[in-house]
Amino acid sequence: MTISVAGSPVPETGLDPLDPDFQRDPYPFYDWLLRHDPVHRGQEGTWYVTRFPDVRTVMSDERFGCASVRDFWAEMVGPGALQDVMSDTMFFEDNPHHARLRKLIMPVFSPKRMRAMEPKIAHIVDELLEPLARRGHMDVVSEFGAPLALHFVCNLIGVPPEGYDGVRRWSLDIAPTLDLVPSREEIIRGNQAMGEFTEYLTWLIGQRRADRRDDMISVMLDEMDKDQSGYDRPLTTSMIVSTVISVVFAGHDTVTNQVSNTMLALIDHPDQHELLRRRPELIESAVEESLRYDSSVQSNSRRVDEDTVIGGVQLRKGDFVVALMGAANRDPDVYPDPGRFDVTRAGAHPMSFGAGMRFCLGAVLARLELRAALTRLVPLADLRLDCARSDLSYQRSSMFRSLVDLPVRFTPATHYPPA
Ligand code: HEM
């Protein structure tokens, strides 16, 4: 049963993020919650927080912990490689261990290092796009966004090009188990993939031990060589494996999906697409607007570590809280006319990269990839969907907004880059 307010249905029994209507289009739900029930008690008693300042608090305040989310997840997937590896991930750690891991890998994401990657990003965008631009059609997800994102996440970690296919395959098999309620088959496949991924990375770490490079694995090995006696949890090879796998998940599908969500927003708003074609200097603000308008990461979960009040609502220790960043990005108190996609919108820093001590380490890289992608995709002539709009579908996910595919067609380019 649903309550319908201004055509926006919210189930009377509480929000269920796996409801097919919500999966297709969560924004009417967010709009309703923001106006009527900003700290909402959903199904199974989970709290859904929607307003920008409250979402920021949940994402950044240590009273909302991640380690206790791990216990829930570990029980859900049961014993096996998934549990072994993900139990050590920084996403499920609180301080002091979280801060230590974050500090350790931070130099890999330094602004200087990211700036140095810029020409490389432009080069890979061109390498991927030129044959597609000449062909006149592509699936933005599998043929462009995914290989682009995979390349840079692997590059950062230190996975050589011959390892990319394996990383992609394992990631696809593991991803469903990191979301809500995976099926038994998904857990079996995820465990198998996690076992193979771990074996590969253990081998690669062994290679790097003797031959250090300028990559994340080498940075962590250098730290492992130092005296570990001051730490209650000394750094181990399995912690390196877990951190590397976490970064693969953090930086792969997120960018892939943001590229396709952005392209769909432009196709749905031809006036904004035309404006960008005429004024490419707006690409930077278009990237920010697309992250706000349709973020690839819609939510993050926490568990309350001490009784606390948020948005005037009492939450108790042990409660689950979902911070709906996708809703915060549509908070009318922060963004006037939030449902409008406007590439000229100024000062629209979205909540899409999180906040505080867990703010996305890859935000600079993600923005560079998105800008480079748009610089080349926007000029494609007569860009349109290559299927009915109603044929597009999203992966079933409580966290991510992830198009299954995005087939597009355009006038084949006779010159590259297209002008
Ligand atoms: C559009 C693309 C991206 C989005 C929307 C995104 C979003 C986020 C969000 C919301 C968080 C915070 C999670 C939390 O608070 O629990 C986060 C954390 C993180 N992201 Fe990203 N991300 C993106 C791309 C990337 C890339 C490209 C990388 C690296 C290659 C990356 C690496 C990380 C890491 C390592 C963290 C953990 C930070 C910590 O716990 O201290 N992300 N990301």
Side-chain angles (χ1 to χ4, degrees):
M1 170 147 187
T2 60
I3 311 161
S4 185
V5 178
S8 303
V10 167
E12 199 172 36
T13 48
L15 185 72
D16 170 13
L18 295 177
D19 173 341
D21 286 340
F22 184 87
Q23 292 279 304
R24 211 172 6 260
D25 183 5
Y27 296 107
F29 292 81
Y30 295 159
D31 180 49
W32 190 91
L33 290 170
L34 278 160
R35 282 186 290 128
H36 300 284
D37 194 13
V39 181
H40 169 79
R41 185 125 211 185
Q43 286 191 351
E44 324 261 335
T46 300
W47 294 102
Y48 291 89
V49 176
T50 53
R51 284 191 178 148
F52 192 96
D54 296 339
V55 168
R56 185 175 48 207
T57 302
V58 173
M59 303 282 291
S60 58
D61 190 316
E62 293 202 41
R63 286 171 301 168
F64 299 90
C66 290
S68 43
V69 176
R70 168 183 47 215
D71 305 339
F72 170 82
W73 179 85
E75 200 175 309
M76 189 174 72
V77 297
L82 282 169
Q83 204 183 78
D84 294 345
V85 174
M86 296 314 282
S87 291
D88 262 340
T89 169
M90 65 191 293
F91 293 117
F92 287 158
E93 295 292 349
D94 293 329
N95 282 340
H97 195 56
H98 172 264
R100 181 191 180 202
L101 285 176
R102 183 177 169 96
K103 197 163 156 231
L104 182 57
I105 62 170
M106 225 150 149
V108 182
F109 296 95
S110 74
K112 187 168 160 235
R113 214 164 173 277
M114 292 298 118
R115 268 196 306 278
M117 278 174 95
E118 221 173 333
K120 186 107 195 268
I121 295 173
H123 174 74
I124 297 295
V125 163
D126 284 340
E127 204 171 271
L128 288 168
L129 202 56
E130 178 163 6
L132 302 171
R134 292 190 188 280
R135 196 174 74 186
H137 63 94
M138 69 171 127
D139 172 25
V140 178
V141 178
S142 63
E143 294 186 290
F144 180 68
L148 174 70
L150 186 68
H151 181 99
F152 286 101
V153 87
C154 287
N155 188 273
L156 214 65
I157 287 164
V159 173
E162 54 278 17
Y164 293 4
D165 282 349
V167 173
R168 171 95 183 131
R169 210 173 46 248
W170 296 318
S171 304
L172 289 175
D173 281 350
I174 295 166
T177 67
L178 301 178
D179 216 298
L180 280 183
V181 283
S183 68
R184 218 180 103 70
E185 293 69 36
E186 284 170 335
I187 292 176
I188 292 170
R189 215 175 313 126
N191 269 315
Q192 170 76 23
M194 189 62 99
E196 291 173 18
F197 202 171
T198 304
E199 207 173 300
Y200 172 73
L201 287 174
T202 308
W203 170 82
L204 189 60
I205 291 165
Q207 299 284 305
R208 281 291 176 283
R209 222 180 274 282
D211 177 19
R212 304 287 160 99
R213 309 260 174 96
D214 182 21
D215 58 35
M216 187 179 293
I217 292 178
S218 302
V219 163
M220 295 192 83
L221 281 170
D222 288 349
E223 179 71 12
M224 221 168 118
D225 289 346
K226 293 181 190 158
D227 178 18
Q228 300 284 316
S229 59
Y231 297 103
D232 57 347
R233 290 173 64 187
L235 206 59
T236 58
T237 302
S238 70
M239 277 185 203
I240 301 184
V241 169
S242 299
T243 306
V244 164
I245 292 180
S246 310
V247 173
V248 168
F249 280 101
H252 175 198
D253 272 356
T254 48
V255 173
T256 306
N257 296 328
Q258 198 61 49
V259 170
S260 44
N261 293 358
T262 305
M263 288 315 289
L264 184 58
L266 288 174
I267 290 169
D268 280 343
H269 300 86
D271 59 322
Q272 296 300 298
H273 186 190
E274 186 48 36
L275 187 59
L276 267 190
R277 285 171 67 92
R278 279 190 286 113
R279 296 183 54 197
E281 74 276 10
L282 288 174
I283 279 178
E284 197 172 324
S285 76
V287 164
E288 295 310 295
E289 175 66 345
S290 89
L291 282 159
R292 182 199 71 82
Y293 181 78
D294 199 15
S295 174
S296 59
V297 183
Q298 290 280 311
S299 68
N300 272 104
S301 300
R302 302 283 194 266
R303 216 163 170 180
V304 180
D305 281 342
E306 56 181 88
D307 289 3
T308 186
V309 172
I310 188 133
V313 177
Q314 176 73 58
L315 271 52
R316 299 284 176 204
K317 184 172 178 195
D319 286 353
F320 273 99
V321 187
V322 176
L324 288 170
M325 293 118 68
N329 285 337
R330 301 283 184 115
D331 185 338
D333 289 342
V334 180
Y335 307 104
D337 197 2
R340 192 160 52 91
F341 179 65
D342 175 2
V343 298
T344 66
R345 195 184 283 271
H349 288 303
M351 185 54 74
S352 314
F353 290 119
M357 65 198 170
R358 295 180 193 272
F359 183 80
C360 176
L361 281 172
V364 174
L365 175 61
R367 284 177 162 129
L368 289 176
E369 290 181 63
L370 290 163
R371 283 176 209 159
L374 278 199
T375 302
R376 290 297 191 234
L377 288 167
V378 163
L380 294 172
D382 193 22
L383 180 71
R384 60 206 183 272
L385 274 184
D386 198 12
C387 66
R389 181 69 173 76
S390 54
D391 285 347
L392 292 178
S393 60
Y394 289 86
Q395 306 280 5
R396 185 170 172 272
S397 169
S398 64
M399 259 179 86
F400 300 112
R401 189 139 167 86
S402 162
L403 279 161
V404 172
D405 50 22
L406 181 62
V408 296
R409 205 161 262 285
F410 40 88
T411 309
T414 46
H415 299 288
Y416 190 90

